[in-house]
Amino acid sequence: MTIRHVLLDADGVLQRVPGNWYALMEPYVGDRAREFFREAWSEELPMLSGRGGDYLPVLAAALLRFGVEVPAEQVYAEVWHRMEVDAESVALVKRLRDAGYGVHLGTNQESRRGAYMKSVLGYDDLFDVSCYSYELGVAKPDPGFFVEAARLIGAEPAEVLFVDDTEHNVLGARSAGMPAVHWSLDAGHEALAALLAGHGVGRA
């Protein structure tokens, strides 16, 4: 089946965290940043699928456990909102759309960060369809995420090419019948163009 749509992950494909998550958290918890995120991300998991409510009270409780007195709102803004949108990826989205492809966002996010991406980063205007896990009720790599994303796009999974920087998400897409490629910003956009061309998506 011909590829008519491209579905892009956000973190690592469309945007990057400057430095890395651990470096951003070190001013608050020092060398316990990895330990902090092991707990924080584990507690965030249900919220990626739209369950568990607002993440901010959960973050506030985690900060207290680690002896951090800075308000959760401030930490969230200075860490979770620290995203740099990659200009080359945005340009690729626009070229693919100009070439007649539907171009869509497929990302695991909890509602607070997702809302920031929509309103402040402007992703709703950039993409034809935005598929946020917290709205779909299922998160990658669950094959259900990709089935639901294809439904929202209005296409068969086989007509959608998925791009993600995490291998198990790529495998989840393939198990749902959606062709997928493993790529990250660190690999460079020439490599991505070659991967797209390998699936019949012209060098855009």
Side-chain angles (χ1 to χ4, degrees):
M1 197 172 284
T2 303
I3 299 295
R4 303 185 186 280
H5 302 269
V6 179
L7 178 66
L8 299 173
D9 177 39
D11 293 296
V13 172
L14 184 70
Q15 63 196 26
R16 57 166 55 87
V17 173
N20 59 60
W21 286 93
Y22 306 118
L24 291 178
M25 201 64 205
E26 282 175 0
Y28 304 103
V29 297
D31 60 6
R32 300 181 71 193
R34 290 182 180 273
E35 178 188 356
F36 178 86
F37 275 121
R38 276 198 301 271
E39 292 188 17
W41 285 334
S42 175
E43 292 172 333
E44 183 190 40
L45 281 175
M47 297 171 191
L48 296 181
S49 299
R51 300 185 297 274
D54 184 12
Y55 181 59
L56 207 59
V58 176
L59 175 60
L63 291 171
L64 286 177
R65 289 198 303 271
F66 279 75
V68 179
E69 297 181 356
V70 179
E73 293 88 345
Q74 179 180 335
V75 176
Y76 191 91
E78 294 179 356
V79 178
W80 273 258
H81 286 174
R82 289 286 298 277
M83 294 169 269
E84 296 177 349
V85 180
D86 185 82
E88 285 191 68
S89 289
V90 171
L92 174 65
V93 170
K94 293 177 179 177
R95 290 197 299 271
L96 288 170
R97 292 183 73 183
D98 288 344
Y101 293 95
V103 189
H104 318 284
L105 179 66
T107 181
N108 281 353
Q109 303 293 336
E110 44 81 23
S111 60
R112 185 172 288 267
R113 194 166 187 254
Y116 181 87
M117 290 165 62
K118 290 181 177 188
S119 61
V120 178
L121 300 186
Y123 287 166
D124 276 358
D125 294 329
L126 179 63
F127 291 98
D128 296 303
V129 176
S130 293
C131 303
Y132 290 89
S133 60
Y134 74 92
E135 293 182 330
L136 270 60
V138 60
K140 300 178 291 185
D142 190 314
F145 175 94
F146 305 99
V147 172
E148 181 63 11
R151 187 191 68 78
L152 289 175
I153 291 167
E156 294 296 323
E159 297 178 294
V160 183
L161 177 62
F162 176 60
V163 181
D164 199 288
D165 66 325
T166 303
E167 182 67 30
H168 61 265
N169 291 341
V170 169
L171 296 176
R174 291 174 180 167
S175 70
M178 182 178 290
V181 295
H182 184 211
W183 178 85
S184 71
L185 287 166
D186 291 339
H189 286 80
E190 286 190 11
L192 177 56
L195 290 169
L196 295 177
H199 286 267
V201 178
R203 196 173 274 272

